[in-house]
Amino acid sequence: MTYPVAVLASDNAATAQGEWDAVILIASSVDVCPIPDLKNALTQFAHVDSRVGKQAVLVPCEKAAGGRIIFAPTGELSRYFDDVRRFSDAAKKAMQIAQQAGSVNPLLMVVAPEDKRYQNALEVSYLGLCQALWQPLEAREALDEADIEPVQKIGLIAHAQNKPNVDWVNALEAGKRLARDLCGTNPERMAPPGFAEYCVDAFAGSGIKVEVLSSQAQLQQEYPLLMAVARAAVNVERHHARVVTLTYEPEGEVTQSLYLAGKGVTYDTGGADLKTGGFMAGMSRDKGGAASVAGLMRTIAMLKPKGVKVVAELGLVRNSIGTDAFVTDEIITARSGKRVRIGNTDAEGRLVLADVMTHLLELAENDKNAEFFSVATLTGHAARAVGPYTALVENGAARAKGSALALSEAGDLWDDVAEVSRSRREDFDFVAPRTKADDILSSNNAASAVTARGHQFPMAFLVLASGLENHPEIPYTHVDIAGSGVEGGDWQHGTPTAASLTMLAARYLAS
Ligand SMILES: [Zn+2]
């Protein structure tokens, strides 16, 4: 099975018997329910159960498809700080009840106010249902998938004024599902070789070109910073590093090219700067950036957008600890030629990304309209500063064209929310060399969460270490999903969110 596929349905379906086994209604109150028979049933039931309108409840209704309505209220929608997440939150609660009640073919009906913020409320609610339905890959492999993920399709009731583009939401959910699988799976099943193979399988026949670099010797030569992180895993073949490059070339003319670097640390022990005090659990999800980027490519493979070329490169390594582990004070020459002094081995993601970005810069050499992104679970500081949001840090060229702002505004409408941070001179000062022995310092030696500008300064490092500083004309936005990559900020148990996938798709792929 793939994912609960969205199909179009009409208003009539909500009161027709046969195809659907429950109606899920997401709305601010019973009053706005557009179908009199259903509204009636809800009003009657409210007399005997005062939860109606306050929390998600199942209401029996003979006239409803499947004989039941699951009504999940959104709560207040009119205040300036309300956003479309009110719908996805309600949808997740409704789905729990629907599942417990045995519904496998639910019909989704959404009533949203006339307000730009809620223009995608139906689609976002569908994505919320899917988010709630996803089961981890290990569970699907060990148990009967049809048994633990019984919902195969969801009907989306279209209104005259709001006809959802089901191809679009299906492409989004297919991408998000791949991202959740890659991010949320244990560090042995999804070690770099397993991650790379999962990508090869997922993109077979999709039109996306997949290249996997496996040779440790070649990686050592071409990605020296990345391989410093991977060094303690070189003697463990099943943990060997990989670099995966995914390329989408549209038919016809290319007017814009996107280059995305994804951090795929399949397990982060912290390395010699070992994570202690219980902070290691959940670090199999340190591959969330690479997972989101791979998921975006899945979405692209289904949408086949015109005019835009997309190249994604995923740096997949395990940051292990051992006799050969890299340590602080080492000076390693990056692919860009920059001599990088290691400040802390737990600041490994930026090392992986820097070499990947240098390679992407080489690939982008002849592209006139290239735009760059790095996507990563990079810093605890991002989670501390803006969690549960994604943090965006852009360079001058990106700021000049309003890239991060446009991205966050697209995300606001699609339940993939971000905040924009500024890149400042202090960030560059922070990683400046102290002597001529090196060109750049990777990090200070304290947790980012207790470091001032702890999620902004790594972007400065990436600009300097990758060589992007020599291309100030290329817009570049660093996307830190450490605060948004899993639900509830729970890296050990929270469901992965595929953060940044939807906002990037909405910004660059929506027609
Ligand atoms: Zn780390």
Side-chain angles (χ1 to χ4, degrees):
M1 204 187 90
T2 53
Y3 56 91
V5 177
V7 300
L8 271 186
S10 69
D11 271 355
N12 300 334
T15 50
Q17 299 304 324
E19 187 175 7
W20 306 100
D21 67 7
V23 175
I24 292 175
L25 170 64
I26 317 283
S28 59
S29 72
V30 172
D31 295 341
V32 298
C33 177
I35 298 176
D37 283 338
L38 305 192
K39 185 173 169 179
N40 233 342
L42 292 170
T43 310
Q44 291 301 320
F45 197 75
H47 293 142
V48 295
D49 191 337
S50 57
R51 291 176 299 174
V52 175
K54 298 194 183 79
Q55 65 187 70
V57 287
L58 187 149
V59 176
C61 170
E62 269 180 23
K63 302 267 175 62
R68 51 195 170 175
I69 311 164
I70 295 135
F71 173 43
T74 58
E76 185 67 60
L77 295 169
S78 61
R79 298 162 300 188
Y80 79 91
F81 55 84
D82 294 315
D83 62 52
V84 75
R85 287 174 296 166
R86 299 262 179 241
F87 285 87
S88 48
D89 290 349
K92 287 172 199 164
K93 288 178 189 144
M95 198 63 241
Q96 265 177 2
I97 292 177
Q99 252 193 320
Q100 287 163 359
S103 166
V104 295
N105 276 325
L107 189 60
L108 175 64
M109 181 158 72
V110 172
V111 185
E114 285 282 323
D115 184 325
K116 184 175 180 286
R117 284 179 286 179
Y118 305 119
Q119 64 189 24
N120 306 314
L122 175 59
E123 294 89 335
V124 164
S125 298
Y126 161 73
L127 293 170
L129 297 181
C130 295
Q131 176 75 15
L133 286 167
W134 177 81
Q135 292 295 323
L137 181 63
E138 297 100 336
R140 296 180 349 242
E141 288 181 341
L143 307 170
D144 184 357
E145 185 167 306
D147 212 35
I148 61 168
E149 281 192 335
V151 180
Q152 313 219 345
K153 66 173 180 175
I154 296 174
L156 272 54
I157 293 188
H159 303 293
Q161 71 277 27
N162 181 12
K163 193 157 179 273
N165 180 342
V166 288
D167 291 340
W168 164 250
V169 289
N170 279 324
L172 286 176
E173 177 51 27
K176 291 182 75 170
R177 183 174 172 89
L178 177 65
R180 284 186 216 109
D181 282 358
L182 290 169
C183 176
T185 301
N186 77 74
E188 288 296 331
R189 172 72 177 80
M190 217 51 92
F195 192 120
E197 274 167 40
Y198 206 69
C199 288
V200 169
D201 291 347
F203 290 105
S206 69
I208 302 281
K209 185 170 86 177
V210 184
E211 293 159 283
V212 180
L213 186 47
S214 307
S215 156
Q216 301 301 286
Q218 195 181 346
L219 282 165
Q220 182 60 53
Q221 195 116 74
E222 298 178 5
Y223 296 84
L225 284 179
L226 180 149
M227 283 305 285
V229 179
R231 208 161 74 195
V234 166
N235 58 356
V236 182
E237 198 176 345
R238 70 180 198 280
H239 294 161
H240 272 184
R242 296 284 187 273
V243 169
V244 175
T245 313
L246 306 168
T247 307
Y248 169 74
E249 302 252 16
E251 277 177 28
E253 197 195 348
V254 174
T255 52
Q256 180 164 41
S257 305
L258 307 179
Y259 289 84
L260 302 113
K263 170 187 172 184
V265 174
T266 59
Y267 198 74
D268 183 14
T269 68
D273 284 308
L274 194 66
K275 288 182 188 289
T276 56
F279 288 106
M280 204 187 297
M283 282 302 114
S284 63
R285 268 88 179 280
D286 213 7
K287 51 193 173 354
S292 285
V293 169
L296 178 67
M297 297 307 283
R298 180 101 199 85
T299 298
I300 289 168
M302 288 175 69
L303 293 174
K304 304 216 174 344
K306 294 231 158 46
V308 57
K309 170 184 162 183
V310 189
V311 183
E313 188 158 292
L314 318 174
L316 307 173
V317 298
R318 174 167 165 134
N319 188 15
S320 287
I321 184 169
T323 45
D324 199 26
F326 78 129
V327 295
T328 53
D329 306 348
E330 284 188 35
I331 298 167
I332 298 160
T333 302
R335 182 181 183 117
S336 67
K338 282 282 168 68
R339 297 164 302 155
V340 174
R341 181 183 291 271
I342 304 303
N344 187 312
T345 66
D346 198 8
E348 82 294 337
R350 68 202 64 176
L351 304 175
V352 173
L353 288 171
D355 281 344
V356 166
M357 285 165 61
T358 307
H359 182 230
L360 290 176
L361 276 171
E362 294 160 16
L363 295 178
E365 203 180 290
N366 297 316
D367 268 330
K368 293 231 159 42
N369 279 314
E371 182 156 3
F372 270 61
F373 301 88
S374 48
V375 184
T377 52
L378 209 71
T379 64
H381 188 268
R384 178 57 64 93
V386 303
Y389 298 90
T390 294
L392 305 174
V393 193
E394 60 191 344
N395 73 354
R399 186 168 153 75
K401 61 182 280 198
S403 279
L405 188 62
L407 205 49
S408 77
E409 284 177 350
D412 281 349
L413 300 178
W414 282 99
D415 181 20
D416 189 12
V417 280
E419 301 215 343
V420 181
S421 299
R422 290 285 294 277
S423 172
R424 301 283 191 183
R425 62 183 189 179
E426 286 83 356
D427 304 329
F428 289 82
D429 294 344
F430 198 73
V431 295
R434 289 5 180 212
T435 71
K436 291 192 187 323
D438 55 85
D439 300 309
I440 182 169
L441 178 66
S442 71
S443 174
N444 60 326
N445 210 339
S448 75
V450 296
T451 301
R453 306 191 65 74
H455 77 272
Q456 293 97 331
F457 87 81
M459 178 272 192
F461 172 84
L462 287 169
V463 168
L464 297 170
S466 68
L468 251 175
E469 63 168 327
N470 303 320
H471 300 274
E473 76 287 359
I474 298 180
Y476 162 55
T477 303
H478 171 57
V479 181
D480 193 335
I481 61 168
S484 56
V486 292
E487 285 185 6
D490 179 353
W491 284 96
Q492 197 174 3
H493 304 295
T495 300
T497 60
S500 80
L501 186 162
T502 313
M503 81 173 90
L504 283 162
R507 170 80 179 92
Y508 293 98
L509 311 176
S511 46

